[in-house]
Amino acid sequence: LKHGREVFLVSRDNGVLRDLPGKRVIEGLSSYRKADWQVHPKEFVRRTIDCFTRPGAIQLVHEDAEQLEADHDVVRRLETAGLFDFEIICPQPPEKGAVVVVDPFSSGSLIAAGVLKRKLRLVMVFSDSAVVDAVGQLVAEGTAATPDVTITHDQRLPEEEGVQATIRSLQDLHCPIVSVVPGAETGVLLADQLASQMCMRCNPLELSLARRNKYLMGETVRAAGIRAVKQIKATEWGQVAAFLASWQPDPFIAVVKPIQSAGSDDVFKCTSVDEVQHAFDTINGAINNLGQTNEGVLVQEFLDGTEYVVDSVSRDGAHKVTAIWEYDKRSVNDANFVYFGMNLLSATSSAAQQLVDYSNAVLDALGIVNGPGHMEVKMCRDGPCLVEVGSRCHGGEGTWSLIADECVGYNQIDTTFDAYLRPEEFDRLPSAPTTLLKHGREVFLVSRDNGVLRDLPGKRVIEGLSSYRKADWQVHPKEFVRRTIDCFTRPGAIQLVHEDAEQLEADHDVVRRLETAGLFDFEIICPQPPEKGAVVVVDPFSSGSLIAAGVLKRKLRLVMVFSDSAVVDAVGQLVAEGTAATPDVTITHDQRLPEEEGVQATIRSLQDLHCPIVSVVPGAETGVLLADQLASQMCMRCNPLELSLARRNKYLMGETVRAAGIRAVKQIKATEWGQVAAFLASWQPDPFIAVVKPIQSAGSDDVFKCTSVDEVQHAFDTINGAINNLGQTNEGVLVQEFLDGTEYVVDSVSRDGAHKVTAIWEYDKRSVNDANFVYFGMNLLSATSSAAQQLVDYSNAVLDALGIVNGPGHMEVKMCRDGPCLVEVGSRCHGGEGTWSLIADECVGYNQIDTTFDAYLRPEEFDRLPSAPTTLLKHGREV
């Protein structure tokens, strides 16, 4: 429509700017639209060498290309003479101080950004190159700062020699250092050493180790007459064993953790000597999440009570509490101390005042007299007791700071600058924030799964909450997300602020509900990042043989697990011709072991494969229970284990459906004939028709249609204690009402509770050859009729009731006079050796087996499918 160009301004000089006289000339150009000025009078301007040293940009637009070019030339001429008026031209800012930030990670990235915001020079010092690799990613989005100078401290040198080398590097900058501040926990010791030896405001060096070493910390506090935790530090197990023997805690609860670390990294809550020894062996000598070797282990009493954070800033021994937070820490994902969030409190209550007084006493004892302090305190029955304190700012990437700004009116990071650079502002602050302007809390998100993230659908819901202010996302689609066990595996944090405390709490509850259902959409749930992943098929018989073949077709590794060697003998021949697949690995589950022990042994066999397992799928009915157990304990996409038995035991299945308010069959399970006789006497069906069958089986194996009590007794005696066609002993018998009506099959696949019906079949079952329930075939139907829609709705309700929320479902339903009623359902694919699948392919366009792979591995394809096939491409039936 017009011609346009953007002019990036270039300065040829360094210096203090006096004015921009050419600015008015530029604004008078006919093509001038807008300017973005990065420099202003009285500021120091650098020679332009990159985007970061650009003094500004001019946006020009005009109908006439020649006029646009002429105006551009005017700007370029002004750049060299007339645009910039420098008061002084000099290579460095005169009398401009520098702030040294040691390890500018976590909230240290905000300190670094604050240095530049205050027009000071930023010098980043890294305490060790290994630290950069370990925690260098802990920088909140949008807070990364570009330093004037970067120095890496040489940890390979002897300690004092290394400190002197770093000091010489700082002195070579030839600009005044106005303060040295630790950015993260790893930088505390070096910051102390540098500031002390450069004669700057600092904390006394003789207590520096006590501010980092958690054992010395506790003992120093105790020596000052302040309540401290009972503890021992140890490098050998014998020291711990002797300590526990003399202590004898009752009840036995002990905390075991590294002597130096952060973020609940490898913190264990132990309830036995064996657990303490396991924790000791795990920690001692290992590399922690700060990239440091754990030289010894700390064993402490467990402090029972609410945990608080007291954030403070000190100047020459005067302490200011900047915030008090109540921690929400819980046990989850087999970890005992997972941060779920924190709630901001005022200092008005008597408990809060106890915390303030206790905090100030601990700061004095540990010599934290200058700069920030981040203290964790348990409020026990006998008063406050220190968990630990860091002489640095509150971490968590500093995301909490905006909550403090809005609720308190200031934050710990800005107050730290006041303590070092603006003492008048520091003096104006109260000793603790007694009044909150608003209510605020930070929600630390928790992932219950490992897997490849597809999307964050709940993100938009969170962003719409009235208390929502900001979110710090540590995970993104297509990345591998780990189960949350500490600060380092946290997927993100949400900052909430509101005038109304009840509204804040309601919004917090919304986030927590989303966390377990709706926030995370995993493409694949698997314990390790998938490279070439493996699919485990448990009992790959019947249609399971097609699942196994499908694994190889998709270029994945195939692991066949057999639930029992007897199952192989009984149903191993149920493999359609031409579908046998050669596995990469075969594992036979040991049914002779106690159940949990056997499951753990099979899991160890899978873990020994050293390849990522991307899904566990039952191949046949016999594999359903074990597949549930393996997938659940390996933290993969699965159905809830607490309903697993109800998905296999036909009696529990019916009762679970009935308890959900859904039409279910009248029935009894019995191991003795007297129970059946009593049931029939109270029921008195008219006409007398009852169905008798095994509690667990498949296919119409030993299913009897009885028209008298004698026939029921004969069926009971035939079934009870016999070996069924799945190779299992029938432990009891099921007696049910006979459901009179047409029988249908509803095949489905589910993903995270979203159900897709893949096919509806009308069964043709008849009496023949002295057997009452012989399959004569099945006819494929569309889901267009009202009866078919009833079946779809009923099927979805039953799937929900039985917790079939992931993977296939094969449901048999009778359409009775009062509507659909469940016969039975298996949380596995339709059986019959899978021969029906080619009919589905040609008539529906897809089949249940391929859709199962989509649910586990290709969620976009799963989402594209309709909720049920309303249109058939052709007509099909299996005879």
Side-chain angles (χ1 to χ4, degrees), residues 694-718:
I695 294 172
Q696 294 181 217
S697 67
S700 67
D701 170 24
D702 268 345
V703 179
F704 293 83
K705 181 181 177 184
C706 304
T707 57
S708 69
V709 173
D710 289 344
E711 288 182 5
V712 172
Q713 185 163 10
H714 169 72
F716 176 89
D717 293 339
T718 301

PDB file of all heavy atoms in Angstrom, residues 694-718:
ATOM      1  N   PRO A 694     -18.572 -68.588  34.959  1.00  0.00           N
ATOM      2  CA  PRO A 694     -17.416 -68.305  35.825  1.00  0.00           C
ATOM      3  C   PRO A 694     -17.340 -66.808  36.147  1.00  0.00           C
ATOM      4  O   PRO A 694     -17.843 -65.969  35.405  1.00  0.00           O
ATOM      5  CB  PRO A 694     -16.207 -68.722  34.967  1.00  0.00           C
ATOM      6  CG  PRO A 694     -16.767 -69.625  33.912  1.00  0.00           C
ATOM      7  CD  PRO A 694     -18.167 -69.140  33.650  1.00  0.00           C
ATOM      8  N   ILE A 695     -16.698 -66.493  37.275  1.00  0.00           N
ATOM      9  CA  ILE A 695     -16.558 -65.082  37.664  1.00  0.00           C
ATOM     10  C   ILE A 695     -15.553 -64.375  36.762  1.00  0.00           C
ATOM     11  O   ILE A 695     -15.713 -63.207  36.422  1.00  0.00           O
ATOM     12  CB  ILE A 695     -16.136 -64.984  39.153  1.00  0.00           C
ATOM     13  CG1 ILE A 695     -17.274 -65.509  40.046  1.00  0.00           C
ATOM     14  CG2 ILE A 695     -15.801 -63.537  39.530  1.00  0.00           C
ATOM     15  CD1 ILE A 695     -16.889 -65.642  41.505  1.00  0.00           C
ATOM     16  N   GLN A 696     -14.507 -65.097  36.341  1.00  0.00           N
ATOM     17  CA  GLN A 696     -13.517 -64.545  35.429  1.00  0.00           C
ATOM     18  C   GLN A 696     -13.279 -65.541  34.302  1.00  0.00           C
ATOM     19  O   GLN A 696     -12.875 -66.673  34.544  1.00  0.00           O
ATOM     20  CB  GLN A 696     -12.188 -64.256  36.153  1.00  0.00           C
ATOM     21  CG  GLN A 696     -12.301 -63.155  37.185  1.00  0.00           C
ATOM     22  CD  GLN A 696     -10.989 -62.855  37.892  1.00  0.00           C
ATOM     23  OE1 GLN A 696     -10.977 -62.576  39.068  1.00  0.00           O
ATOM     24  NE2 GLN A 696      -9.880 -62.902  37.179  1.00  0.00           N
ATOM     25  N   SER A 697     -13.523 -65.088  33.075  1.00  0.00           N
ATOM     26  CA  SER A 697     -13.259 -65.943  31.912  1.00  0.00           C
ATOM     27  C   SER A 697     -13.446 -65.086  30.669  1.00  0.00           C
ATOM     28  O   SER A 697     -13.515 -63.864  30.761  1.00  0.00           O
ATOM     29  CB  SER A 697     -14.210 -67.151  31.878  1.00  0.00           C
ATOM     30  OG  SER A 697     -15.540 -66.716  31.649  1.00  0.00           O
ATOM     31  N   ALA A 698     -13.518 -65.711  29.517  1.00  0.00           N
ATOM     32  CA  ALA A 698     -13.743 -64.960  28.278  1.00  0.00           C
ATOM     33  C   ALA A 698     -14.422 -65.861  27.269  1.00  0.00           C
ATOM     34  O   ALA A 698     -14.376 -67.082  27.343  1.00  0.00           O
ATOM     35  CB  ALA A 698     -12.403 -64.459  27.713  1.00  0.00           C
ATOM     36  N   GLY A 699     -15.086 -65.248  26.310  1.00  0.00           N
ATOM     37  CA  GLY A 699     -15.704 -65.949  25.196  1.00  0.00           C
ATOM     38  C   GLY A 699     -16.973 -66.694  25.544  1.00  0.00           C
ATOM     39  O   GLY A 699     -17.398 -66.628  26.203  1.00  0.00           O
ATOM     40  N   SER A 700     -17.826 -66.996  26.060  1.00  0.00           N
ATOM     41  CA  SER A 700     -18.950 -67.829  26.488  1.00  0.00           C
ATOM     42  C   SER A 700     -18.447 -69.171  26.993  1.00  0.00           C
ATOM     43  O   SER A 700     -19.098 -70.202  26.848  1.00  0.00           O
ATOM     44  CB  SER A 700     -20.022 -67.969  25.413  1.00  0.00           C
ATOM     45  OG  SER A 700     -19.595 -68.688  24.301  1.00  0.00           O
ATOM     46  N   ASP A 701     -17.225 -69.180  27.557  1.00  0.00           N
ATOM     47  CA  ASP A 701     -16.609 -70.354  28.174  1.00  0.00           C
ATOM     48  C   ASP A 701     -17.437 -70.764  29.399  1.00  0.00           C
ATOM     49  O   ASP A 701     -17.548 -70.019  30.368  1.00  0.00           O
ATOM     50  CB  ASP A 701     -15.171 -69.970  28.571  1.00  0.00           C
ATOM     51  CG  ASP A 701     -14.487 -71.020  29.437  1.00  0.00           C
ATOM     52  OD1 ASP A 701     -14.900 -72.199  29.360  1.00  0.00           O
ATOM     53  OD2 ASP A 701     -13.545 -70.649  30.157  1.00  0.00           O
ATOM     54  N   ASP A 702     -18.060 -71.984  29.318  1.00  0.00           N
ATOM     55  CA  ASP A 702     -18.860 -72.526  30.426  1.00  0.00           C
ATOM     56  C   ASP A 702     -19.945 -71.558  30.889  1.00  0.00           C
ATOM     57  O   ASP A 702     -20.123 -71.325  32.085  1.00  0.00           O
ATOM     58  CB  ASP A 702     -17.950 -72.914  31.609  1.00  0.00           C
ATOM     59  CG  ASP A 702     -17.502 -74.380  31.539  1.00  0.00           C
ATOM     60  OD1 ASP A 702     -18.113 -75.136  30.764  1.00  0.00           O
ATOM     61  OD2 ASP A 702     -16.552 -74.726  32.265  1.00  0.00           O
ATOM     62  N   VAL A 703     -20.692 -70.992  29.940  1.00  0.00           N
ATOM     63  CA  VAL A 703     -21.831 -70.143  30.277  1.00  0.00           C
ATOM     64  C   VAL A 703     -23.098 -70.968  30.052  1.00  0.00           C
ATOM     65  O   VAL A 703     -23.343 -71.462  28.942  1.00  0.00           O
ATOM     66  CB  VAL A 703     -21.854 -68.851  29.428  1.00  0.00           C
ATOM     67  CG1 VAL A 703     -23.079 -68.007  29.792  1.00  0.00           C
ATOM     68  CG2 VAL A 703     -20.577 -68.058  29.632  1.00  0.00           C
ATOM     69  N   PHE A 704     -23.892 -71.115  31.116  1.00  0.00           N
ATOM     70  CA  PHE A 704     -25.084 -71.973  31.068  1.00  0.00           C
ATOM     71  C   PHE A 704     -26.347 -71.124  31.172  1.00  0.00           C
ATOM     72  O   PHE A 704     -26.417 -70.203  31.986  1.00  0.00           O
ATOM     73  CB  PHE A 704     -25.074 -72.976  32.231  1.00  0.00           C
ATOM     74  CG  PHE A 704     -23.982 -74.007  32.143  1.00  0.00           C
ATOM     75  CD1 PHE A 704     -22.696 -73.714  32.590  1.00  0.00           C
ATOM     76  CD2 PHE A 704     -24.247 -75.265  31.626  1.00  0.00           C
ATOM     77  CE1 PHE A 704     -21.697 -74.674  32.529  1.00  0.00           C
ATOM     78  CE2 PHE A 704     -23.249 -76.227  31.564  1.00  0.00           C
ATOM     79  CZ  PHE A 704     -21.966 -75.929  32.012  1.00  0.00           C
ATOM     80  N   LYS A 705     -27.349 -71.497  30.353  1.00  0.00           N
ATOM     81  CA  LYS A 705     -28.689 -70.909  30.465  1.00  0.00           C
ATOM     82  C   LYS A 705     -29.578 -71.976  31.111  1.00  0.00           C
ATOM     83  O   LYS A 705     -29.806 -73.042  30.532  1.00  0.00           O
ATOM     84  CB  LYS A 705     -29.213 -70.525  29.084  1.00  0.00           C
ATOM     85  CG  LYS A 705     -30.597 -69.891  29.084  1.00  0.00           C
ATOM     86  CD  LYS A 705     -31.019 -69.572  27.649  1.00  0.00           C
ATOM     87  CE  LYS A 705     -32.423 -69.004  27.581  1.00  0.00           C
ATOM     88  NZ  LYS A 705     -32.851 -68.787  26.163  1.00  0.00           N
ATOM     89  N   CYS A 706     -30.050 -71.680  32.321  1.00  0.00           N
ATOM     90  CA  CYS A 706     -30.732 -72.696  33.129  1.00  0.00           C
ATOM     91  C   CYS A 706     -32.217 -72.342  33.306  1.00  0.00           C
ATOM     92  O   CYS A 706     -32.561 -71.181  33.537  1.00  0.00           O
ATOM     93  CB  CYS A 706     -30.076 -72.810  34.500  1.00  0.00           C
ATOM     94  SG  CYS A 706     -28.299 -73.169  34.397  1.00  0.00           S
ATOM     95  N   THR A 707     -33.067 -73.353  33.239  1.00  0.00           N
ATOM     96  CA  THR A 707     -34.506 -73.123  33.390  1.00  0.00           C
ATOM     97  C   THR A 707     -35.074 -73.833  34.617  1.00  0.00           C
ATOM     98  O   THR A 707     -36.291 -73.941  34.770  1.00  0.00           O
ATOM     99  CB  THR A 707     -35.255 -73.594  32.123  1.00  0.00           C
ATOM    100  OG1 THR A 707     -34.945 -74.981  31.892  1.00  0.00           O
ATOM    101  CG2 THR A 707     -34.841 -72.771  30.914  1.00  0.00           C
ATOM    102  N   SER A 708     -34.208 -74.322  35.490  1.00  0.00           N
ATOM    103  CA  SER A 708     -34.678 -74.943  36.734  1.00  0.00           C
ATOM    104  C   SER A 708     -33.559 -74.881  37.769  1.00  0.00           C
ATOM    105  O   SER A 708     -32.388 -74.682  37.437  1.00  0.00           O
ATOM    106  CB  SER A 708     -35.068 -76.418  36.488  1.00  0.00           C
ATOM    107  OG  SER A 708     -33.901 -77.179  36.220  1.00  0.00           O
ATOM    108  N   VAL A 709     -33.937 -75.111  39.009  1.00  0.00           N
ATOM    109  CA  VAL A 709     -32.950 -75.113  40.101  1.00  0.00           C
ATOM    110  C   VAL A 709     -31.951 -76.234  39.889  1.00  0.00           C
ATOM    111  O   VAL A 709     -30.743 -76.070  40.120  1.00  0.00           O
ATOM    112  CB  VAL A 709     -33.660 -75.248  41.470  1.00  0.00           C
ATOM    113  CG1 VAL A 709     -32.631 -75.434  42.586  1.00  0.00           C
ATOM    114  CG2 VAL A 709     -34.543 -74.039  41.745  1.00  0.00           C
ATOM    115  N   ASP A 710     -32.422 -77.403  39.429  1.00  0.00           N
ATOM    116  CA  ASP A 710     -31.512 -78.529  39.197  1.00  0.00           C
ATOM    117  C   ASP A 710     -30.467 -78.178  38.151  1.00  0.00           C
ATOM    118  O   ASP A 710     -29.283 -78.535  38.289  1.00  0.00           O
ATOM    119  CB  ASP A 710     -32.288 -79.772  38.760  1.00  0.00           C
ATOM    120  CG  ASP A 710     -33.102 -80.381  39.903  1.00  0.00           C
ATOM    121  OD1 ASP A 710     -32.810 -80.021  41.067  1.00  0.00           O
ATOM    122  OD2 ASP A 710     -34.007 -81.174  39.625  1.00  0.00           O
ATOM    123  N   GLU A 711     -30.893 -77.490  37.072  1.00  0.00           N
ATOM    124  CA  GLU A 711     -29.932 -77.102  36.032  1.00  0.00           C
ATOM    125  C   GLU A 711     -28.905 -76.107  36.574  1.00  0.00           C
ATOM    126  O   GLU A 711     -27.728 -76.154  36.228  1.00  0.00           O
ATOM    127  CB  GLU A 711     -30.662 -76.515  34.830  1.00  0.00           C
ATOM    128  CG  GLU A 711     -31.410 -77.553  34.013  1.00  0.00           C
ATOM    129  CD  GLU A 711     -32.090 -76.936  32.788  1.00  0.00           C
ATOM    130  OE1 GLU A 711     -31.900 -75.710  32.538  1.00  0.00           O
ATOM    131  OE2 GLU A 711     -32.801 -77.664  32.080  1.00  0.00           O
ATOM    132  N   VAL A 712     -29.373 -75.210  37.446  1.00  0.00           N
ATOM    133  CA  VAL A 712     -28.448 -74.247  38.057  1.00  0.00           C
ATOM    134  C   VAL A 712     -27.424 -74.991  38.898  1.00  0.00           C
ATOM    135  O   VAL A 712     -26.217 -74.707  38.845  1.00  0.00           O
ATOM    136  CB  VAL A 712     -29.212 -73.211  38.914  1.00  0.00           C
ATOM    137  CG1 VAL A 712     -28.228 -72.347  39.709  1.00  0.00           C
ATOM    138  CG2 VAL A 712     -30.096 -72.323  38.049  1.00  0.00           C
ATOM    139  N   GLN A 713     -27.884 -76.004  39.688  1.00  0.00           N
ATOM    140  CA  GLN A 713     -26.954 -76.746  40.543  1.00  0.00           C
ATOM    141  C   GLN A 713     -25.943 -77.520  39.692  1.00  0.00           C
ATOM    142  O   GLN A 713     -24.744 -77.569  40.032  1.00  0.00           O
ATOM    143  CB  GLN A 713     -27.715 -77.687  41.474  1.00  0.00           C
ATOM    144  CG  GLN A 713     -26.765 -78.391  42.458  1.00  0.00           C
ATOM    145  CD  GLN A 713     -27.486 -79.012  43.645  1.00  0.00           C
ATOM    146  OE1 GLN A 713     -28.717 -79.091  43.668  1.00  0.00           O
ATOM    147  NE2 GLN A 713     -26.725 -79.452  44.638  1.00  0.00           N
ATOM    148  N   HIS A 714     -26.426 -78.100  38.600  1.00  0.00           N
ATOM    149  CA  HIS A 714     -25.516 -78.837  37.713  1.00  0.00           C
ATOM    150  C   HIS A 714     -24.460 -77.885  37.142  1.00  0.00           C
ATOM    151  O   HIS A 714     -23.257 -78.226  37.108  1.00  0.00           O
ATOM    152  CB  HIS A 714     -26.302 -79.489  36.568  1.00  0.00           C
ATOM    153  CG  HIS A 714     -25.407 -80.043  35.489  1.00  0.00           C
ATOM    154  ND1 HIS A 714     -24.638 -81.174  35.667  1.00  0.00           N
ATOM    155  CD2 HIS A 714     -25.148 -79.570  34.228  1.00  0.00           C
ATOM    156  CE1 HIS A 714     -23.945 -81.389  34.554  1.00  0.00           C
ATOM    157  NE2 HIS A 714     -24.241 -80.438  33.668  1.00  0.00           N
ATOM    158  N   ALA A 715     -24.877 -76.691  36.720  1.00  0.00           N
ATOM    159  CA  ALA A 715     -23.940 -75.705  36.169  1.00  0.00           C
ATOM    160  C   ALA A 715     -22.942 -75.258  37.236  1.00  0.00           C
ATOM    161  O   ALA A 715     -21.734 -75.136  36.978  1.00  0.00           O
ATOM    162  CB  ALA A 715     -24.705 -74.505  35.625  1.00  0.00           C
ATOM    163  N   PHE A 716     -23.456 -75.021  38.444  1.00  0.00           N
ATOM    164  CA  PHE A 716     -22.588 -74.621  39.561  1.00  0.00           C
ATOM    165  C   PHE A 716     -21.497 -75.669  39.780  1.00  0.00           C
ATOM    166  O   PHE A 716     -20.311 -75.347  39.896  1.00  0.00           O
ATOM    167  CB  PHE A 716     -23.428 -74.431  40.825  1.00  0.00           C
ATOM    168  CG  PHE A 716     -22.606 -74.100  42.049  1.00  0.00           C
ATOM    169  CD1 PHE A 716     -22.295 -72.790  42.372  1.00  0.00           C
ATOM    170  CD2 PHE A 716     -22.128 -75.127  42.880  1.00  0.00           C
ATOM    171  CE1 PHE A 716     -21.526 -72.495  43.498  1.00  0.00           C
ATOM    172  CE2 PHE A 716     -21.352 -74.833  43.997  1.00  0.00           C
ATOM    173  CZ  PHE A 716     -21.057 -73.511  44.310  1.00  0.00           C
ATOM    174  N   ASP A 717     -21.895 -76.948  39.852  1.00  0.00           N
ATOM    175  CA  ASP A 717     -20.944 -78.026  40.110  1.00  0.00           C
ATOM    176  C   ASP A 717     -19.938 -78.168  38.973  1.00  0.00           C
ATOM    177  O   ASP A 717     -18.774 -78.540  39.205  1.00  0.00           O
ATOM    178  CB  ASP A 717     -21.692 -79.358  40.314  1.00  0.00           C
ATOM    179  CG  ASP A 717     -22.535 -79.355  41.594  1.00  0.00           C
ATOM    180  OD1 ASP A 717     -22.237 -78.527  42.491  1.00  0.00           O
ATOM    181  OD2 ASP A 717     -23.492 -80.148  41.665  1.00  0.00           O
ATOM    182  N   THR A 718     -20.381 -77.900  37.752  1.00  0.00           N
ATOM    183  CA  THR A 718     -19.492 -78.012  36.590  1.00  0.00           C
ATOM    184  C   THR A 718     -18.410 -76.927  36.612  1.00  0.00           C
ATOM    185  O   THR A 718     -17.237 -77.191  36.300  1.00  0.00           O
ATOM    186  CB  THR A 718     -20.301 -77.888  35.284  1.00  0.00           C
ATOM    187  OG1 THR A 718     -21.285 -78.928  35.252  1.00  0.00           O
ATOM    188  CG2 THR A 718     -19.395 -77.982  34.066  1.00  0.00           C
TER     189      THR A 718
END
